[in-house]
Amino acid sequence: MVSVTFVTSQGEKIAAQGEVGQRLLELGQARGMPLEGTCEGQMACSTCHVIIAGDWFDRLPAAVDDEEDMLDLAAGVTRTSRLSCQIELTEALDGLVVHVPAEARDMQGR
Ligand code: FES
């Protein structure tokens, strides 16, 4: 199991247990985080945008160019932003802390 803590835009911490190989997006959705994931991991939306807590960002595999391009369109992007559909849980990510931005919503909604 991989322990992940989601931090909501209100600062509430939600502990979650994911499986190795599960996508961070799916785990967040399962715990009720407001991550729409409209394109279901096709890197064609940015509604799965999350902000990775500082220490953890450098431990993730780097984003590919398509992910960077999509992130440019997300609201409230930071230096440690990622698309949660592109992050696969591994044992190395046990303890991961992820902030869920308040701006996460469908692109048409902005
Ligand atoms: Fe659309 Fe992640 S679900 S980019």
Side-chain angles (χ1 to χ4, degrees), residues 20 25 27 31 54 59 73 89 91 109:
V20 169
L25 171 63
L27 180 61
R31 294 297 278 125
R59 298 193 222 173
L73 302 176
L89 296 178
E91 280 169 19

Side-chain angles (χ1 to χ4, degrees), residues 6 14 30-31 38 52 66 71 73 75 90 94 101:
F6 292 96
I14 312 276
R31 294 297 278 125
T38 310
I52 307 297
D66 283 350
L71 279 169
L73 302 176
T90 64
D94 189 39

Side-chain angles (χ1 to χ4, degrees), residues 6 10 29 49 109:
F6 292 96
Q10 281 84 38
Q29 287 176 332
H49 168 217

Side-chain angles (χ1 to χ4, degrees), residues 39-53:
C39 77
E40 297 176 344
Q42 303 303 304
M43 285 195 277
C45 72
S46 54
T47 61
C48 63
H49 168 217
V50 294
I51 297 165
I52 307 297

